[in-house]
Amino acid sequence: MFEYCTDPKLIEGFQWWSCYLTTGKHMSFYFSFVVVLGLLALTVPFILLFGFTGALARRATFAPIRWFGTIYTSMVRGVPDIIFFLFVPIAMDQGIEIIRHKIKCSDWSEPIRQGNDFVVCAAAKMPLSSSPQWVHETYGFMLATIAFAIVFGAFAANTIHGALGAVPKEQLETGAAFGMSPKQIFRRIHLPQMWVYALPGLSNLWMILIKASPLLFLLGVEDIVYWARELGGSKTARFTYPHGDWRLGYFMFLLVFYLFLTWISEKFFDRIMHRLSRGQNTAAGMS
Amino acid sequence: MSCFETFTGYALRSIGIGERLLPKTDFTLCDQFVLIGSGMIWNVYFAVVALSLGFFFAVALALGRSSDNPIARIPSRVFIFVIRGSPLFIQFFLIYEFFVMIPKMGWDINLGFIEITVETRWLTKAWLGALITLFLNTAGYTANIFYGALQSIPKGDIEAAYAIGMSKRQVFWRISFPTMLRLAWPSYTNEAIFLFHATALVFFSSFPAWRQEGDALYYASYFADKTFNPFVPYPIIALYFISFTLLIILGFGWVDKRLNRHIAPNK
Amino acid sequence: MTFTKLMAGIALVALTTTSAIAGSHTVRMGTEGAYAPYNFINDNGEVDGYEIELGNELCKRAELDCTWVTNDWDSIIPNLVSGNYDTIMAGMSITAERDEVIDFTSEYFPADPSSYVALAGAGAEATTGTVAAQTATIQASYVASSDATVVEYATMEDTIAAVRNGEADSVLADHAALKDIVDASGGVLAFVGDDVAIGGGVGMGVRESDGELRGKFEAAIAAMKADGSLNALIAKWFDGRDAGY
């Protein structure tokens, strides 16, 4: 990065550090913080979507939809996320490719499973093997987002389901007494009033989500933990900047980062909670 | 090898009883079910011991956090914040590094009828070291849940108790504590599930496995590695976890009913 | 249902993006990026190492357009067979079990013995005490079958740390990977006991259904063996080792 970095063996002290901390690998490390935060931010709407869908499905009057909602929330909550990520993304990827294969290569006669191999026609590959690396990375990123959303959506569904049930019945009955249709009651009273009950659970979920980011590596996204481990591991003379086992230092840095993120999040949720509680019939709202 | 023989040979393999060598070729579904199930012994052990010991520490921390005395309040608050603010795998790493640095020593402790040697080297083994980590972790999370519940206890209940002449002690054990449990129980159930799932991390990224004795995920990834097929062992271990999670939900649900038995049902 | 709409939306995007222009076929080369000197991430954050340089040369000779992909070691074979990349060059020894699932080219690195490393001054008994190995490696199963007590760590780094802090008496791993570490330890670590021969040479893994690609690389490897450039490359990355191809 700096001019004096051309031969790191000759420099030491501040110069060595300034060169070491600005290597391309460290840049990837810094960039991975952006990636992780971006992915977390991107996942939230999907989690809420899956959460709402799951919660509404569990309240559905049509039994099969209700079963679907119950099975989704209890199955996914029953499996540790780490195990879920070890096989579900590959399965999703193969599923998408099978559908594309059926549509695009209907004249293909060979079987998709040849022994151990999973073979689809070149046009069905997702993404195409000719597409540039960024397409592959974006696709992997999308897959990771969906996988995260499925897992955490199940927990969100549980929280939202509970919150929908916690809204005092009298409020809904008042709506009905004013002549509102069920749809109006849901959208104007039930949904807005639900948030104050769902927020503590959802904020807790967000805290858990932040700390699940190391699992991203299992999904092929090179996250902060991957780079910290990669950078902290001892480097022999083969590398430009040889050093011993520095994982402790890097992990301490991650610890500070996570604590900071938690602290910011707590402040943020406290403010929202304060605003939502205004005028509510709860302990915090009454004070 | 019949499935029964597999069972007798491997059902307790994860704790060092049975066949010395793991199956190497021709893996049957039975092999996978038995060995992964054997590994579940570890997951259940970690979860049960960490949760039951963590419960008491959590109550103490929650009381400390809501205490007026800064000597009790500040350390509890910092502890809860650090535990809740950092990923479990970093806690595993840091605690393992710390335990490794402790000099290896041993003390003989005479219990009257039997003399045992307590050794610091146990700390670097999963059965103790990982257990301590999980114990601290669940205590931190649970303390926060209990603290929130303590804050939500209706003031009137406590004032009424004092008014009829209960002592501080009596108020705590007869009013605050049961109400706290009742309010905290649904969230505590979630925490128990999360902790149970977190036991899968023990051998995956932190503590070493001795003599190929590991938890369910250790054996599942062993099979995934040998058969190169993730679609058999991982669904099996998922099935095990789902069943045990259902047991947790049932057990905690039963306690919840008992805690709320004096309250009229909603419907 | 919003859910079905969403799924339909995802499916639609998945089905319509990057419509088929399968003309220029890029070969995606899978590697681990954590096994110096075979493959590693260098200080610029790029994949580097013996296999990367060799792979690029092979692609040039076979007139293929290649790109590198890193993947976790544990799932490197499942991702190959499900088609996420087309080859594996990750210091992977050719073994009978792996050969049942995927195909290998002929070896491009001779069978490397595995060695024990212990603290300097330890005797040969270090190899029969507590021996550290990386989880799910051929060394781990070798130690498990021997009289020694195996202790498995998630990463190579952890196994070395275990020897340094006395948790394990010695570590068993590939000689080439250990040599770098012993050299860099400043005399703290040393090789101990006899080497053991486990596993075959290192080859490139391809899908069994991908015979055409395997043929191209096979020819390129044979050509590099014949004109001595493979020997030169090995000597460059492995301290002047003479592979004798």
Side-chain angles (χ1 to χ4, degrees), chain A residues 75 77-83 86-87 90-91 94 155 158 204-205 207-208 211 214 218 225 229 247-248 251-252 254-255 258-259 262-263 266, chain B residues 81-90 93-94 97 141 190 193-194 197 200-201 204-205 217 227 230-231 234-235 237-238 241-242 245-246 249:
Chain A
M75 287 274 278
R77 281 170 69 226
V79 185
D81 41 12
I82 184 170
I83 292 167
L86 281 172
F87 71 99
I90 293 194
Q94 294 194 352
F155 286 97
N158 205 43
N204 212 23
L205 198 58
M207 301 291 183
I208 293 167
K211 277 156 262 157
L218 289 179
V225 178
R229 196 170 275 157
R247 285 177 303 169
L248 193 59
F251 280 9
M252 289 307 275
L254 287 193
L255 181 71
Y258 278 112
L259 289 178
T262 308
W263 181 74
E266 274 182 358
Chain B
F81 176 71
V82 170
I83 290 287
R84 278 175 29 96
S86 55
L88 178 59
F89 95 96
I90 287 190
F93 178 83
L94 295 179
E97 292 287 299
Y141 276 93
N190 271 343
I193 296 174
F194 275 121
H197 290 179
L201 274 178
F204 194 74
S205 65
L217 185 56
T227 60
F231 295 124
Y234 293 136
I237 185 176
F241 267 100
I242 289 174
T245 306
L246 284 179
I249 292 174

Side-chain angles (χ1 to χ4, degrees), chain B:
Chain B
M1 209 179 201
S2 76
C3 195
F4 179 73
E5 283 169 333
T6 307
F7 187 81
T8 49
Y10 289 111
L12 297 175
R13 176 63 179 77
S14 67
I15 49 173
I17 302 171
E19 299 279 329
R20 197 173 81 88
L21 297 178
L22 297 182
K24 288 224 173 83
T25 45
D26 307 322
F27 307 99
T28 60
L29 263 183
C30 178
D31 288 344
Q32 307 206 15
F33 261 103
V34 170
L35 257 177
I36 294 173
S38 166
M40 286 304 291
I41 297 174
W42 281 95
N43 299 91
V44 171
Y45 158 78
F46 284 131
V48 169
V49 181
L51 276 173
S52 24
L53 296 180
F55 177 86
F56 297 102
F57 189 35
V59 173
L61 278 170
L63 288 177
R65 172 91 165 77
S66 42
S67 151
D68 293 330
N69 185 349
I71 299 173
R73 193 177 65 236
I74 294 170
S76 319
R77 201 175 170 161
V78 170
F79 179 83
I80 295 172
F81 176 71
V82 170
I83 290 287
R84 278 175 29 96
S86 55
L88 178 59
F89 95 96
I90 287 190
Q91 295 168 13
F92 269 129
F93 178 83
L94 295 179
I95 291 179
Y96 182 74
E97 292 287 299
F98 174 71
F99 283 158
V100 162
M101 281 190 293
I102 294 177
K104 304 275 178 284
M105 291 181 295
W107 296 273
D108 294 330
I109 292 180
N110 199 335
L111 293 176
F113 57 99
I114 190 171
E115 193 174 273
I116 55 166
T117 313
V118 176
E119 293 180 59
T120 51
R121 65 165 61 235
W122 291 350
L123 289 169
T124 58
K125 303 275 174 20
W127 71 264
L128 185 60
L131 181 68
I132 291 176
T133 316
L134 289 167
F135 157 75
L136 294 175
N137 185 274
T138 185
Y141 276 93
T142 311
N144 193 58
I145 296 171
F146 286 175
Y147 169 73
L150 279 178
Q151 299 308 101
S152 323
I153 295 175
K155 269 220 153 61
D157 291 13
I158 295 174
E159 282 160 6
Y162 280 122
I164 58 168
M166 280 194 190
S167 70
K168 233 180 161 175
R169 231 198 164 95
Q170 282 175 317
V171 171
F172 178 73
W173 285 114
R174 299 204 185 158
I175 310 291
S176 308
F177 185 72
T179 315
M180 175 196 85
L181 275 191
R182 192 164 57 77
L183 293 176
W185 207 254
S187 309
Y188 186 51
T189 311
N190 271 343
E191 162 56 21
I193 296 174
F194 275 121
L195 183 90
F196 178 52
H197 290 179
T199 60
L201 274 178
V202 171
F203 294 101
F204 194 74
S205 65
S206 36
F207 280 76
W210 289 72
R211 296 181 203 84
Q212 301 189 305
E213 294 160 17
D215 75 329
L217 185 56
Y218 173 84
Y219 291 113
S221 41
Y222 175 84
F223 286 118
D225 177 64
K226 296 285 172 201
T227 60
F228 309 106
N229 180 2
F231 295 124
V232 178
Y234 293 136
I236 291 179
I237 185 176
L239 212 64
Y240 272 114
F241 267 100
I242 289 174
S243 331
F244 279 97
T245 306
L246 284 179
L247 281 184
I248 295 181
I249 292 174
L250 282 179
F252 276 71
W254 180 79
V255 175
D256 192 44
K257 276 224 178 76
R258 279 191 62 82
L259 286 172
N260 286 307
R261 65 189 183 278
H262 60 289
I263 291 177
N266 249 336
K267 287 172 195 169

Side-chain angles (χ1 to χ4, degrees), chain A residues 216-234:
Chain A
L216 283 174
F217 185 57
L218 289 179
L219 303 174
V221 177
E222 285 162 356
D223 78 307
I224 48 181
V225 178
Y226 166 80
W227 285 111
R229 196 170 275 157
E230 183 59 46
L231 285 163
S234 49

